[in-house]
Amino acid sequence: MYNTNKIAVTGLGIVCSLGNTITDFWNALLNDSSGIKNWEDLKHLDFKYIHASRVENIECDPLQRGFQFAVSAIEQAIKQSGCSNTEKWGLFLGTTMGESAAFEAIAEKNQTLIPEAYTGFGICKRLMKKYPAMHKFQCFATACAAGNYALKAGMDALQKGEISIAIVGGVDPFSKIAMCGFSRSRAMSPSGICKPFDTNRDGMILGEGAGFLVLEKAENATKRKANILAVLDDCALSCDAYHPTAPKPDSSGIINCFQQLLETNNLKHSEIDWISAHGTGTKLSDQSEAHAIAKVFDTHPPYVSSIKPKIGHTLGAATAIEAIVSVLSIQHQTIPHTLNYTNAEFDIRIPKKPVLTKVNKD
């Protein structure tokens, strides 16, 4: 029997360019396919960069694309979990842009749209109406860390007994506003090839998608005979607030997170099998992340891989999808590779092909 503080993952759901089911997504993740391509609409609009990772095979109202992505992913996660709508649910959602297409329409003088209805808050309100079992929600707009903030908040609410089921995750539809912003900040890849941690990396590529997980107390999941996919021991968050677009050069924010988790859970460095990295493909972010990993795990380096060469940077959904990949890696005892990784710059273990190996469940 699990102790009262352990949190179980019992359901997963995803929408992204690699697939709109967990099975399709995982299968595509393990081969050399990528959802990144050039887009004629971006070329027609005279964008400087026209490569992106977008979802093609899903019908969506353009102004509610994020909401519909979220519903699709949540439905998958609920079905797999088998949780009852008579239980007390909580929704914890991360997003960077909300319904970006609506704000783009407002900027083009569409006066009939109410901005508040298309924020992350607005998406949450729609989801609350669709799922009466949801008794509370929290929305996080903490950029690409938003999915992790949602995960942490869901864990806390479960441990405090405020809810019995936590629906946690992140969502962001493709955003032309974000595309412009990243382009102007010179973060985008001119080559159209995302190469995290590679010597020749030249930037990120924008994506879109949604990823959601069902969390519950492990002891409750055991009692109702749910299939426990993985167990969450803890979640650490840190912010160095060094610069709007650059991490602190000494990597102290990332190092602090690693050390919190290791010390709080009394873990040995050798017990960490794999790190699902942020791995954006930008010069400074990859450098900071790699240096932190190399410093903390200097004697027992784990595998490190990034999925962004396959699905792009999905903004508020990024860390939620990365959490899903971590659970799938445990389920299949397989570590996904980092596509386009050729030339090593950092002293970290980056697989060029999927690795069949032990990955701890908790």
Side-chain angles (χ1 to χ4, degrees):
M1 177 68 73
Y2 292 99
N3 69 44
T4 55
N5 288 322
K6 295 282 188 179
I7 300 299
V9 181
T10 57
L12 305 172
I14 194 163
V15 172
C16 72
S17 62
L18 283 188
N20 296 336
T21 70
I22 289 295
T23 299
D24 289 348
F25 169 70
W26 178 249
N27 289 339
L29 199 63
L30 296 186
N31 62 39
D32 286 338
S33 64
S34 173
I36 296 167
K37 71 174 193 177
N38 291 346
W39 293 87
E40 285 299 318
D41 63 325
L42 299 180
K43 182 178 180 180
H44 177 74
L45 292 168
D46 203 27
F47 273 78
K48 182 176 181 180
Y49 304 111
I50 61 171
H51 36 266
S53 178
R54 293 157 79 178
V55 179
E56 294 186 271
N57 53 346
I58 189 169
E59 292 295 325
C60 286
D61 174 353
L63 302 185
Q64 294 191 32
R65 190 170 175 84
F67 169 72
Q68 289 169 312
F69 279 7
V71 168
S72 179
I74 290 170
E75 290 287 344
Q76 295 171 48
I78 290 171
K79 182 178 180 180
Q80 183 178 29
S81 173
C83 57
S84 169
N85 59 13
T86 62
E87 297 171 283
K88 192 175 182 180
W89 296 2
L91 171 66
F92 304 87
L93 179 144
T95 185
T96 300
M97 303 298 296
E99 301 286 11
S100 185
F103 295 111
E104 291 158 16
I106 291 168
E108 293 171 359
K109 309 302 182 185
N110 187 330
Q111 302 297 326
T112 65
L113 301 178
I114 302 171
E116 291 78 8
Y118 298 96
T119 61
F121 182 89
I123 295 173
C124 286
K125 294 291 281 185
R126 287 193 181 94
L127 290 170
M128 292 288 284
K129 288 180 180 179
K130 181 171 179 63
Y131 300 102
M134 290 179 179
H135 287 254
K136 65 172 289 181
F137 76 85
Q138 285 182 265
C139 183
F140 302 90
T142 46
C144 42
N148 276 345
Y149 276 79
L151 193 74
K152 172 65 170 171
M155 290 179 66
D156 289 346
L158 287 167
Q159 289 170 341
K160 291 174 184 176
E162 297 174 353
I163 53 174
S164 53
I165 296 290
I167 311 295
V168 307
V171 59
D172 262 300
F174 183 78
S175 170
K176 294 184 178 72
I177 296 172
M179 193 80 165
C180 289
F182 283 121
S183 177
R184 289 181 179 181
S185 63
R186 294 178 293 178
M188 300 295 292
S189 165
S191 69
I193 304 172
C194 183
K195 296 171 279 191
F197 304 114
D198 192 274
T199 302
N200 298 317
R201 67 192 184 280
D202 62 358
M204 59 165 279
I205 293 174
L206 193 60
E208 67 174 350
F212 282 86
L213 306 87
V214 173
L215 308 183
E216 55 190 297
K217 284 188 175 181
E219 59 176 350
N220 293 345
T222 302
K223 286 177 183 177
R224 70 178 187 87
K225 299 182 180 179
N227 181 23
I228 295 177
L229 307 175
V231 174
L232 302 178
D233 288 328
D234 206 346
C235 182
L237 301 171
S238 179
C239 178
D240 61 39
Y242 171 73
H243 186 275
T245 59
K248 201 169 182 179
D250 64 4
S251 305
S252 56
I254 303 171
I255 290 170
N256 181 38
C257 272
F258 284 140
Q259 290 176 337
Q260 282 184 60
L261 291 171
L262 291 167
E263 293 168 8
T264 303
N265 294 282
N266 197 28
L267 290 171
K268 297 177 182 177
H269 293 69
S270 58
E271 293 180 278
I272 307 302
D273 301 312
W274 172 60
I275 294 173
S276 179
H278 191 47
T280 61
T282 59
K283 288 291 183 181
L284 294 181
S285 179
D286 283 9
Q287 176 179 290
S288 181
E289 191 171 13
H291 285 173
I293 293 168
K295 183 171 182 178
V296 174
F297 299 97
D298 56 341
T299 57
H300 294 89
Y303 285 106
V304 179
S305 46
S306 167
I307 63 171
K308 287 185 176 63
K310 287 177 162 283
I311 67 169
H313 195 325
T314 54
L315 302 180
T319 46
I321 293 175
E322 286 154 18
I324 288 170
V325 173
S326 298
V327 175
L328 291 171
S329 181
I330 290 168
Q331 279 190 288
H332 297 278
Q333 294 291 285
T334 302
I335 291 171
H337 61 307
T338 301
L339 191 64
N340 306 325
Y341 180 74
T342 305
N343 303 299
E345 179 176 344
F346 309 106
D347 189 21
I348 55 178
R349 296 174 71 195
I350 300 177
K352 296 180 181 180
K353 295 293 180 182
V355 180
L356 274 67
T357 187
K358 175 184 70 69
V359 186
N360 283 324
K361 187 170 184 177
D362 53 23

